Amino acid sequence: MAFKTTDSQKKPEASQQASSAELREAVGHLCEVRKPNNTLVFLGRVQGLDGKALSVWPAGGREAPPVIYNDEFKLILHVPQKPALVWTGNVCGSSRSFWKLDNLVKCHRNEQRVNFRQPVSLRANALCINAIYPDSPRGENLYYSRLCKVVDVSLGGVQLRGQDHYRPGDHLLLTNLWLDQSQPQPFVFTVQVCWAEQISSVESRFGCFFELMSIRDEDRLCAAILELQRIDIASHSS
């Protein structure tokens, strides 16, 4: 449950306020709720819009943590095929099921890179599928699947390492990715390479964002990331 406070909050300029169109677009998408210092509070989904307030429900059926009204938090919104949008806002309502955030304003451009990334060390198979994207800037017919390493995962995408020479704009199909061994089947993602960096004479890193996926797969992704985070915290505590 939330508790009221009389502490005043300094509001950013009105010109930075999130527009009604932006708030409507947020509904239905995955998000991260963070403290101002970028500590992750929970992963969830924006489930509704009430005036200028967004209702955020934790993923995986988890309870929303207790919170004090008017406390400030960051909301990092993940819309497929778009850069993460970072807003700050104040809690104006809560229950065990959700938080409601209002006074949402856009963060400074430097904050747009804020993103929760869970480090991992996992194998997957990557298949370049440019051929099925007629408007792809590459469009090469590469039909072979190659082993790669997944080094981190977020709600927005993954970072890969491998010996291939993918370039920004390439489309990949990732298969046989076991993010969470408790899941009944491996993950299959379609991603697009947004940056590439050579780190040795034989290996490169690739930043990739997820393309459209079903709500079921998004929920599975949230559950897997939360489980990876739980395991990671437990390993550092032991």
Side-chain angles (χ1 to χ4, degrees), residues 101-117:
L101 299 170
D102 65 359
N103 298 322
L104 291 160
V105 297
K106 300 175 185 178
C107 281
H108 188 274
R109 184 175 298 273
N110 290 340
E111 290 287 350
Q112 301 301 313
R113 300 183 65 87
V114 173
N115 195 19
F116 172 72
R117 294 188 173 275

Side-chain angles (χ1 to χ4, degrees), residues 41-157:
V41 180
F42 64 85
L43 305 179
R45 186 183 300 275
V46 179
Q47 296 282 31
L49 173 63
D50 180 9
K52 291 281 189 176
L54 292 176
S55 296
V56 181
W57 294 61
R62 289 170 168 77
E63 289 190 355
V67 66
I68 299 175
Y69 280 10
N70 291 331
D71 273 5
E72 186 177 80
F73 291 88
K74 288 180 181 177
L75 182 68
I76 296 88
L77 182 69
H78 294 275
V79 178
Q81 300 179 321
K82 291 186 177 182
L85 181 61
V86 184
W87 292 328
T88 59
N90 302 100
V91 175
C92 63
S94 72
S95 73
R96 292 183 177 180
S97 300
F98 69 91
W99 281 12
K100 186 178 288 187
L101 299 170
D102 65 359
N103 298 322
L104 291 160
V105 297
K106 300 175 185 178
C107 281
H108 188 274
R109 184 175 298 273
N110 290 340
E111 290 287 350
Q112 301 301 313
R113 300 183 65 87
V114 173
N115 195 19
F116 172 72
R117 294 188 173 275
Q118 176 62 47
V120 295
S121 181
L122 301 168
R123 292 185 175 184
N125 291 103
L127 172 66
C128 187
I129 54 174
N130 284 339
I132 66 175
Y133 290 82
D135 297 328
S136 170
R138 297 283 306 280
E140 297 179 6
N141 297 320
L142 303 177
Y143 294 111
Y144 54 86
S145 180
R146 295 285 296 271
L147 187 68
C148 65
K149 184 177 181 180
V150 180
V151 296
D152 70 40
V153 60
S154 73
L155 294 184

